[in-house]
Amino acid sequence: MNRAKNVFTALMLSAGISGYFAAGSLKLRAQEPNPTSQANPPQDTNEIKKQDNGIYLYRVKVVQRDLDAVNYLHRSGSTNIGFKGTALLPLAKGEAKVTSERGGIHISARFQGLTPANGFGPEYLTYVLWAITPDGRPNNLGEVLPANNKNNIEVTTALQSFGMIVTAEPYFSVTQPSDVVVLQNVILNDKTTGVLEKVNAHYSLLARGAYAQTEGSKSNLNPITRDERSPLELYQANNAIRIAQNTGADKYAPDIMAEAMQDLRNATDIDQNKKGDRKMEITFARQAVQRAEDARLVTLRKQAAERQLNADNAKRDAEAQAQQSQLQAQQSQLEAERARAAQAEADADRARAEAAAAEAQARAAAANKSATDANAVRERLRAQLNSVLATSESARGLIVNMSDVLFDTGRYTLKTNTQISLAKVAGILQAYPGLKLQVEGYTDSVGGDQYNQKLSENRADAVRDFLETQGVQPDNITATGYGKAKPVADNATAQGRAQNRRVNLVVSGDAIGVQQSSPDADPAPSATPQ
C-alpha cells in the first residue's frame, strides 16, 4: 500500500472563509461560503475581535494538508488506522480498529489529548468524527464525548471507502464539518490493510462565520465550561438554539424552532430537579439540538431562495424601467418621424400616382411586345417543326402529329424514318430552352380498351425515350397514353381510323406564349397524318 504525501501549510482564515485540504490523494476544499459568514482579512494569530458593527469574530489558524482515504475491502476482517493531530492540536493522537462486516463497517476509535473544544472559541462545545468519501461527501459518524484524557467512540457506517477526520463543533448534529480540524487519519504501514484511494475529492466546509456571535450575545464571550451537575448535551442544546436563532430560524422555521424550544424547556426543567431523570434530560437535549440544526438548515435555504427572489425582482424592475424609458424615447422618436412621414407621404402620393401611370404604360407596352415576340417565336417554331412533321396550332400549343405509319401495325417500335424525323424535331426543340413537350399516344376503336390503352402508352413512351436520347431534357418531357379516347375522325371508316392512330407532340412554354395543359383544353384537335 502506498502512502499519500502529506503537505503541511499554515493558512489563516477569518470568519466566513472555509478552510480546505489540498494537493493530495483526498483533497477537501471549500466550494461556497456559508450564507451567514462574515468575510474579514486573515490574522497571524488566533484571536477574538469585536467589529464596529458589534459582531464578534473568532479567528483560528487552519491547516492545509492531504488526507488518505482507504477502501476497506468487503468482509476482509479488521485493520487498524492511526490518527494524528493537526497544527491546531499537535499533541492529540488516536487509533481506530476498522472491521469490515456484512452490511457495513464497524469503527472502534480511541483518542487522546483532546482539550475542551471551547478553546477554539466559545461557540465550540464538542468534537465530531467524520467519514469523507473519495467523492467528497461528509458523513457525521458521531460525537466524540470527553472522558478525562481518553475519548472513545464506537460507530458503524455503510460507506466502503473513506478517510476520517475529527472537528470541533458547536453541537453533535451538524451536517457539515467545521474548518477546525484537529485530527485526521494516517496510514499505519505495519497495521493498516486495504486499498489506498488515489483520487481528488472536494466538499464544502462549514465556515466559522456561521457561529459568530452578535452584539446581543456578549455573554457568549465567556467560554462555556461543563459543570458536573449539568450534562454537556444541555449546553449543546442551548448553543444549537442560539445559533439557529442568530440565523433567523424564529422567522423562517417557527414550527421547528417551537418544538426545539419545548425540548430545551423539558430538558432544563429536569436539570433543575435534583431527582430528575438524567437520561430523559439528555434525550430532550439531543432532540433540541437536532431540531435546531434542522431549523438552521431550513432557514439558510429559505434565505438563499429569498435573496434570489429579491435579486430576480430587482432585475425585473430594472429591466421594466429600462424598457419603459426606451419605450418613451421610441414614442417621442416615432411622433417626430410621423410628422416627417406625413409630409413625405403627401409628396410620395403624387410621385406614386405619376409612377403608377408610367408603370401601367410600360406594362402595357411590355405585354404587347411580349405577346408579339411570343407570336413570332411560335410561328417560327411551327414552320420549323412543320418542315419535319405535320404541325398545327391549338389552344394547348403547337401539336406535332405522328401517324401510325411511323410504327409497324400493332407495335410501338419506331421505324427508321420515324427516328430520323424525331431526331430533327429534338434538334429544333433544343434551340428553344424552357419549352415543355407532352407526348400523347392514341389508337382507333378496333380492339379492347385495355389493349388499346397499353399500345398507346407504349408508343408514347417509345417516342419520349428516343427524344431523351437525342438531348431533350427529361424534366421537360412527359408521356401519356389515352387509348381510343379523343378520336379526331370517324372510326367507322379506314381513313378515319388511320387518323385516330397517332402520336401527338404538344409543345408549350413561355417562349411561345402558351402554358402547358391537358388534352381537355383542346377537345377536338385537328390532325393531318403523314
Side-chain angles (χ1 to χ4, degrees):
M1 175 184 300
N2 294 325
R3 182 186 183 90
K5 178 181 178 182
N6 292 332
V7 179
F8 296 85
T9 305
L11 175 66
M12 292 304 301
L13 296 180
S14 63
I17 303 178
S18 299
Y20 62 93
F21 299 91
S25 58
L26 180 60
K27 294 187 178 179
L28 313 180
R29 297 185 179 178
Q31 293 175 339
E32 296 178 355
N34 189 278
T36 61
S37 62
Q38 302 288 334
N40 292 277
Q43 302 294 320
D44 294 333
T45 58
N46 298 351
E47 64 175 348
I48 299 175
K49 183 179 180 180
K50 178 182 177 182
Q51 295 194 128
D52 293 338
N53 60 7
I55 296 179
Y56 288 98
L57 301 175
Y58 305 94
R59 299 188 179 91
V60 66
K61 181 184 295 183
V62 179
V63 176
Q64 170 183 305
R65 65 166 63 235
D66 294 343
L67 177 66
D68 294 328
V70 178
N71 186 334
Y72 298 97
L73 303 178
H74 180 60
R75 302 182 70 179
S76 61
S78 301
T79 185
N80 291 338
I81 192 167
F83 281 85
K84 183 178 181 181
T86 68
L88 298 181
L89 206 59
L91 298 181
K93 61 182 180 179
E95 187 170 327
K97 181 179 180 181
V98 183
T99 305
S100 181
E101 301 173 337
R102 181 178 182 181
I105 291 179
H106 180 264
I107 302 170
S108 177
R110 301 183 302 278
F111 303 108
Q112 297 180 18
L114 290 178
T115 60
N118 55 26
F120 299 103
E123 70 272 26
Y124 295 99
L125 295 177
T126 190
Y127 293 100
V128 171
L129 175 64
W130 298 87
I132 312 297
T133 70
D135 294 320
R137 175 166 53 94
N139 188 286
N140 186 330
L141 294 180
E143 182 180 16
V144 181
L145 292 172
N148 298 323
N149 192 38
K150 295 183 179 180
N151 306 275
N152 302 335
I153 183 172
E154 300 275 344
V155 293
T156 300
T157 179
L159 299 178
Q160 180 66 45
S161 177
F162 53 89
M164 288 183 285
I165 60 174
V166 176
T167 61
E169 302 292 348
Y171 44 87
F172 69 90
S173 66
V174 290
T175 52
Q176 284 183 298
S178 76
D179 55 7
V180 184
V181 182
V182 297
L183 282 164
Q184 71 170 42
N185 67 209
V186 292
I187 303 300
L188 301 177
N189 291 331
D190 56 342
K191 295 183 179 181
T192 303
T193 60
V195 178
L196 183 63
E197 296 286 319
K198 295 292 185 180
V199 294
N200 294 329
H202 309 273
Y203 75 99
S204 295
L205 297 175
L206 186 62
R208 290 176 59 86
Y211 309 133
Q213 308 305 314
T214 63
E215 186 174 7
S217 303
K218 292 179 180 178
S219 60
N220 294 334
L221 282 176
N222 300 319
I224 298 176
T225 58
R226 178 185 180 190
D227 60 40
E228 294 302 324
R229 189 184 67 80
S230 298
L232 178 61
E233 287 80 1
L234 184 59
Y235 291 101
Q236 292 187 39
N238 279 283
N239 208 25
I241 288 177
R242 181 179 66 245
I243 291 172
Q245 289 174 333
N246 288 340
T247 65
D250 287 334
K251 173 184 176 181
Y252 292 94
D255 295 340
I256 303 177
M257 283 299 294
E259 294 176 347
M261 293 296 295
Q262 183 60 52
D263 289 331
L264 179 59
R265 285 192 293 270
N266 292 339
T268 302
D269 291 342
I270 295 175
D271 185 72
Q272 294 175 353
N273 185 352
K274 295 182 179 180
K275 296 182 180 181
D277 187 339
R278 182 58 64 88
K279 291 183 179 179
M280 284 304 299
E281 178 183 355
I282 293 175
T283 298
F284 280 122
R286 291 178 68 86
Q287 182 70 12
V289 170
Q290 181 175 320
R291 283 175 169 161
E293 173 67 2
D294 290 343
R296 188 185 72 85
L297 294 177
V298 169
T299 297
L300 295 181
R301 286 195 293 268
K302 288 185 177 180
Q303 288 174 339
E306 188 177 82
R307 287 193 298 272
Q308 184 62 48
L309 178 61
N310 292 336
D312 292 343
N313 289 338
K315 181 180 179 180
R316 283 195 296 270
D317 291 343
E319 291 176 349
Q321 185 175 0
Q323 290 176 353
Q324 182 65 25
S325 299
Q326 183 179 7
L327 186 61
Q328 291 176 350
Q330 291 175 347
Q331 184 66 26
S332 299
Q333 182 179 3
L334 181 60
E335 291 176 356
E337 291 177 352
R338 284 174 178 171
R340 291 192 297 269
Q343 181 61 42
E345 184 65 21
D347 297 337
D349 286 341
R350 182 174 62 256
R352 280 195 294 268
E354 295 173 354
E359 184 178 357
Q361 292 178 347
R363 281 200 302 267
N368 292 334
K369 183 177 185 302
S370 177
T372 301
D373 291 344
N375 290 336
V377 171
R378 186 169 65 254
E379 181 59 28
R380 183 169 63 253
L381 177 61
R382 187 194 67 79
Q384 290 173 337
L385 294 174
N386 194 51
S387 66
V388 180
L389 292 171
T391 303
S392 61
E393 285 200 34
S394 74
R396 299 176 60 207
L398 299 177
I399 298 180
V400 181
N401 181 268
M402 299 172 58
S403 67
D404 69 333
V405 297
L406 302 178
F407 298 92
D408 291 327
T409 303
R411 293 182 172 275
Y412 51 89
T413 301
L414 294 172
K415 293 182 178 180
T416 301
N417 291 338
T418 303
Q419 293 180 2
I420 294 173
S421 297
L422 287 176
K424 294 179 180 179
V425 169
I428 295 171
L429 294 177
Q430 290 181 57
Y432 299 85
L435 291 179
K436 301 294 183 181
L437 185 63
Q438 295 169 257
V439 182
E440 300 171 352
Y442 299 91
T443 67
D444 58 23
S445 61
V446 178
D449 292 345
Q450 184 174 0
Y451 171 81
N452 285 321
Q453 178 64 33
K454 186 63 177 176
L455 179 60
S456 67
E457 291 175 357
N458 289 338
R459 287 185 170 183
D461 290 343
V463 172
R464 177 200 61 198
D465 294 342
F466 182 80
L467 289 173
E468 288 180 359
T469 64
Q470 299 303 307
V472 178
Q473 293 297 319
D475 293 340
N476 294 335
I477 184 170
T478 60
T480 308
Y482 293 96
K484 56 187 178 181
K486 301 291 182 183
V488 295
D490 188 359
N491 279 307
T493 66
Q495 183 180 4
R497 288 192 296 274
Q499 291 180 352
N500 290 331
R501 296 190 299 270
R502 69 193 187 280
V503 173
N504 288 342
L505 307 180
V506 183
V507 183
S508 60
D510 293 338
I512 60 174
V514 181
Q515 297 300 318
Q516 191 175 28
S517 61
S518 67
D520 293 335
D522 191 11
S526 61
T528 303
Q530 279 188 332

